[in-house]
Amino acid sequence: MKKGVIYLFFVLLFSCQASDTDDIFCTTEVKAGLIVSVHLVESSSNIPISDGVTVVATDGNYSETLQFFDAQNPIFYGAYERAGTYTLTVTKPGRRTYVSQPIVLTRDICHVIPQNIMVSLLPN
C-alpha cells in the first residue's frame, strides 16, 4: 500500500511539472477576431438591415472588409485568427461614418480572442 501511495505521489509531482501546453487541445475551427453588430433599423418596418453597410478593419498596412452572412442580421465578421490593433470604419450612404478607437485583438495558445463591437449608424 505504501509503495502505491509513493508511486502516486511521484506521478502527480511529475505531471504537475509538465509543460502547460501538454494538456491543451486546440480546435480546428477558425475564429473571427472582430464581430461587429451594426445597429441600423429601417424606420418603416423596424427591421435591422445591412444593405449598403461597409465595415473595414485596418491594422497598419493591412486592411480587410468584414463580411456578413444574413442581411436581416447585420453582424459583420473578420480578422480571422489575426491578432493586431484595428481601427474600424463603418459606412453607409445617407448615414454618418463611424470610426472606432483602436481595438486590440490578442490571442491565446490556440486562437485569437474575439472582440464584440456594437456600432450605431446615425442619420446625416
Side-chain angles (χ1 to χ4, degrees):
M1 176 69 179
K2 254 186 183 179
K3 202 174 196 180
V5 171
I6 293 172
Y7 175 75
L8 180 61
F9 172 76
F10 281 108
V11 168
L12 290 173
L13 177 68
F14 288 112
S15 67
C16 290
Q17 292 178 349
S19 169
D20 290 342
T21 61
D22 288 348
D23 294 329
I24 296 175
F25 300 98
C26 297
T27 62
T28 58
E29 70 182 320
V30 178
K31 291 195 176 193
L34 294 170
I35 303 167
V36 182
S37 299
V38 178
H39 180 72
L40 179 64
V41 176
E42 184 64 52
S43 59
S44 62
S45 64
N46 207 29
I47 296 174
I49 56 173
S50 55
D51 187 41
V53 176
T54 302
V55 180
V56 176
T58 306
D59 175 23
N61 292 330
Y62 177 82
S63 182
E64 175 183 350
T65 301
L66 278 58
Q67 303 297 311
F68 67 94
F69 301 101
D70 180 359
Q72 298 300 315
N73 191 15
I75 299 176
F76 294 77
Y77 301 88
Y80 286 89
E81 298 297 352
R82 190 176 187 284
T85 302
Y86 292 88
T87 300
L88 294 176
T89 304
V90 184
T91 59
K92 176 175 174 48
R95 299 288 177 148
R96 292 185 197 163
T97 297
Y98 170 85
V99 179
S100 74
Q101 295 294 317
I103 300 164
V104 178
L105 290 183
T106 58
R107 63 179 304 116
D108 60 20
I109 197 162
C110 294
H111 297 287
V112 69
I113 299 171
Q115 295 291 320
N116 293 299
I117 297 99
M118 295 187 74
V119 174
S120 293
L121 289 180
L122 303 172
N124 279 336

